[in-house]
């Protein structure tokens, strides 16, 4: 055996030994559709591995993917294009924690503000916010997202807008709701029939690839006289890394914790909603704000039509009455959601829309049952291309199979 051959053999043995020593297990990743890498690949993982940062090393190439585990879920950042029906096998290796997490949060007046580096992304309102002076105290509110920022730092949402004090950034509520034989409105708080408030934070976490929180919210009937929680809602928010956009997913579960049947009656609005900034109030001719869906080019034609996503955008940084830039937001409704593609309410002159699965018919939630929903939110500056929207939708709507093969100690 030549010197070179002995050297190469020794190098291989040392490398194999180190890799086997570092490896915590193996997984295969299969994507049914092509992926451009806009979103994290995520999956439940049955390995009992601690939360933290990891690396996936391909067994048949030098490909390495950054990964993060939180609460038995694996988040993987795709650094290369992924062809449809591609299956790759990786070993899992623990990485040292980053000295400074890309994603992190800070508490501001009791609320949670999430940031990417130094750039704010969104704030979850934990504490109860009081309405403007002179407004009905019934409008007090918590458990919603505001401010929501574009990547350049422009605020895209409004809070307690003068025309509708009950609308807040990104929020969730039902309008025409029957509990047993009585009807309640959880959306229009001034009726004193119902409201939705934050209850508690379950978890919050940070990392180099993602960060997020889990929270509980209560849908409360008779908030002034005899408050009782009817729907117990959980929110799971997870951020995605992206070079150009702010992206996060919000998963919700609304469980009927009462002893009565809850019926979400047929109605033309209610559900998962967005309220935009105050200077977007008015028609397009008045404010420059426009709305469209994946199939309809205007808010008039798109109202109460099925939509995979809604795009809203408008002018920001107004100088001397003229707009110098535009920013906007997209919300995508996952195809597993109730009555997908869900119909949307696009208001004709207010910067407000909602995904409303009860536009055509009611939905019943029996005691102990739940309504589960998933929405992806994207904020942008300038414009967002149709190509990127289609790529993101394909990634969001297609399944990823991450299959554990073994642990190194098995």
């Amino acid at each position: 055996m030549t010197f070179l051959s002995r050297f190469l053999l020794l190098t291989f043995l040392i490398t194999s030994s180190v890799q086997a020593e570092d490896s915590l297990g193996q997984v295969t990743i299969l994507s049914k559709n092509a992926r451009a890498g806009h979103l994290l690949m995520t999956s439940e993982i049955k390995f009992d591995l601690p939360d933290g940062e990891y690396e996936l090393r391909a067994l048949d190439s030098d490909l390495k993917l950054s990964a993060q585990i939180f609460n038995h879920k694996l988040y993987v950042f795709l650094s290369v294009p992924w062809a449809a029906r591609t299956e790759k096998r990786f070993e899992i290796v623990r990485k040292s924690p980053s000295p400074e997490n890309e994603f992190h949060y800070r508490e501001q007046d009791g609320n949670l503000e999430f940031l990417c580096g130094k750039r704010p992304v969104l704030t979850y309102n934990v504490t109860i916010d009081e309405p403007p002076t002179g407004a009905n105290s019934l409008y007090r509110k918590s458990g919603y997202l505001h401010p929501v920022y574009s990547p350049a730092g422009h605020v895209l949402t409004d809070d307690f807008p003068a025309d509708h004090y009950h609308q807040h950034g990104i929020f969730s509520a039902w309008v025409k709701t029957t509990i047993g034989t009585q009807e309640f409105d959880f959306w229009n708080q001034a009726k004193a029939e119902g409201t939705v408030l934050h209850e508690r934070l379950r978890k919050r976490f940070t990392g180099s690839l993602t960060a997020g929180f889990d929270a509980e919210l209560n849908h409360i009937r008779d908030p002034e006289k005899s408050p009782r929680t009817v729907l117990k809602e959980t929110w799971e928010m997870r951020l995605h890394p992206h070079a150009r956009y702010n992206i996060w997913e919000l998963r919700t579960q609304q469980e009927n914790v009462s002893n009565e049947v809850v019926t979400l009656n047929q109605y033309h609005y209610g559900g998962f909603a967005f309220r935009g900034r105050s200077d977007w109030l008015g028609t397009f001719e008045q404010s420059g704000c426009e709305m469209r869906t994946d199939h309809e080019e205007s808010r008039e034609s798109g109202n109460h039509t099925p939509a995979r996503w809604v795009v809203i955008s408008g002018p920001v940084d107004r100088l001397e009455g003229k707009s110098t830039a535009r920013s906007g937001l997209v919300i995508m409704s996952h195809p597993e959601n109730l009555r997908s593609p869900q119909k949307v309410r696009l208001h004709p002159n207010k910067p407000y829309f909602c995904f409303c699965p009860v536009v055509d018919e009611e939905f019943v939630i029996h005691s102990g049952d739940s309504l589960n929903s998933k929405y992806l939110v994207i904020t942008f500056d300038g414009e967002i291309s149709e190509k990127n929207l289609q790529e993101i939708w394909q990634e969001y709507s297609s399944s990823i199979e991450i299959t554990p093969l073994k642990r190194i100690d098995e």
Side-chain angles (χ1 to χ4, degrees):
M1 181 180 291
T2 66
F3 174 81
L4 179 59
S5 298
R6 289 196 298 272
F7 175 80
L8 292 175
L9 178 60
L10 180 61
T11 301
F12 171 79
L13 292 174
I14 293 174
T15 302
S16 300
S17 175
V18 170
Q19 288 183 340
E21 191 173 278
D22 290 345
S23 179
L24 299 171
Q26 294 180 5
V27 297
T28 61
I29 299 179
L30 169 64
S31 176
K32 296 180 181 178
N33 298 98
R35 299 177 72 90
H38 292 283
L39 304 179
L40 289 172
M41 297 189 290
T42 64
S43 176
E44 298 289 337
I45 185 166
K46 296 180 180 178
F47 292 169
D48 187 20
L49 296 177
D51 295 349
E53 297 185 28
Y54 294 81
E55 186 173 73
L56 302 189
R57 298 176 181 173
L59 298 183
D60 60 353
S61 68
D62 60 357
L63 175 62
K64 297 179 180 180
L65 302 179
S66 295
Q68 185 177 334
I69 290 178
F70 174 71
N71 198 27
H72 302 290
K73 180 164 284 189
L74 178 67
Y75 300 86
V76 183
F77 179 67
L78 187 62
S79 56
V80 295
W82 195 281
R85 304 302 306 178
T86 298
E87 185 176 59
K88 291 184 180 293
R89 186 168 174 173
F90 297 86
E91 63 175 358
I92 305 176
V93 177
R94 188 68 190 262
K95 286 173 57 179
S96 299
S98 301
E100 191 170 313
N101 287 328
E102 181 69 15
F103 290 108
H104 55 101
Y105 67 83
R106 62 189 179 195
E107 292 193 14
Q108 297 277 71
D109 299 323
N111 299 322
L112 282 184
E113 181 183 42
F114 283 83
L115 302 97
C116 178
K118 296 182 179 180
R119 188 178 77 222
V121 177
L122 61 88
T123 295
Y124 175 68
N125 287 261
V126 175
T127 60
I128 291 182
D129 295 326
E130 298 295 335
T133 303
N136 193 325
S137 62
L138 287 167
Y139 286 118
R140 60 205 311 261
K141 181 68 173 172
S142 62
Y144 61 98
L145 300 177
H146 171 80
V148 170
Y149 298 90
S150 77
H154 300 295
V155 175
L156 303 178
T157 49
D158 200 3
D159 199 12
F160 295 107
D163 60 313
H164 282 72
Y165 285 142
H166 53 266
Q167 294 184 359
H168 307 270
I170 293 176
F171 65 106
S172 178
W174 300 104
V175 183
K176 195 174 181 181
T177 309
T178 300
I179 303 166
T181 59
Q182 284 185 274
E183 193 168 288
F184 296 87
D185 186 340
F186 294 88
W187 180 289
N188 298 288
Q189 297 161 281
K191 292 181 179 180
E193 296 176 1
T195 190
V196 182
L197 298 174
H198 168 83
E199 171 64 18
R200 70 184 180 101
L201 284 169
R202 288 181 172 179
K203 299 171 184 174
R204 68 201 87 170
F205 72 103
T206 63
S208 60
L209 290 186
T210 184
F213 69 88
D214 296 352
E216 284 185 7
L217 300 84
N218 292 334
H219 294 237
I220 304 167
R221 59 178 283 184
D222 294 318
E224 293 291 288
K225 298 178 182 177
S226 54
R228 281 182 287 169
T229 297
V230 178
L231 296 177
K232 175 75 69 176
E233 183 169 10
T234 59
W235 277 19
E236 295 181 0
M237 190 282 295
R238 302 292 185 265
L239 296 170
H240 290 252
H242 200 280
R244 185 175 177 185
Y245 310 128
N246 289 341
I247 303 179
W248 70 90
E249 183 183 31
L250 189 60
R251 298 188 176 199
T252 72
Q253 181 184 69
Q254 297 179 357
E255 180 187 1
N256 179 0
V257 294
S258 75
N259 295 321
E260 300 177 281
V261 173
V262 173
T263 302
L264 310 178
N265 297 308
Q266 181 275 327
Y267 206 65
H268 66 283
Y269 70 90
F272 190 72
F274 169 84
R275 174 67 193 224
R277 48 190 287 151
S278 59
D279 58 352
W280 289 357
L281 182 63
T283 63
F284 175 76
E285 290 74 19
Q286 295 168 331
S287 67
C289 175
E290 60 183 358
M291 266 187 268
R292 61 184 176 89
T293 73
D294 57 305
H295 284 104
E296 300 293 338
E297 287 300 316
S298 71
R299 61 177 81 189
E300 291 79 16
S301 62
N303 185 47
H304 291 152
T305 65
R308 295 183 296 176
W309 66 75
V310 176
V311 184
I312 184 170
S313 64
V316 292
D317 276 352
R318 289 181 181 272
L319 296 176
E320 298 178 355
K322 297 181 180 179
S323 171
T324 60
R326 292 181 68 85
S327 296
L329 171 143
V330 185
I331 299 183
M332 293 184 170
S333 174
H334 197 276
E336 293 177 1
N337 287 350
L338 173 67
R339 295 169 183 157
S340 181
Q342 293 181 336
K343 290 194 172 181
V344 291
R345 165 59 172 161
L346 309 183
H347 199 278
N349 53 42
K350 301 183 189 302
Y352 143 74
F353 67 87
C354 64
F355 286 89
C356 184
V358 294
V359 165
D360 292 325
E361 59 180 306
E362 67 182 28
F363 181 74
V364 175
I365 308 176
H366 294 280
S367 180
D369 289 344
S370 300
L371 172 62
N372 299 317
S373 305
K374 295 185 282 189
Y375 298 94
L376 190 76
V377 182
I378 308 154
T379 72
F380 60 90
D381 295 295
E383 301 292 338
I384 185 168
S385 69
E386 188 66 23
K387 176 177 179 291
N388 280 357
L389 284 171
Q390 294 291 350
E391 289 174 347
I392 294 171
W393 172 257
Q394 180 166 280
E395 292 185 27
Y396 186 51
S397 60
S398 63
S399 61
I400 287 288
E401 297 177 14
I402 301 182
T403 307
L405 297 179
K406 66 177 183 178
R407 278 192 61 113
I408 201 65
D409 54 1
E410 292 181 339

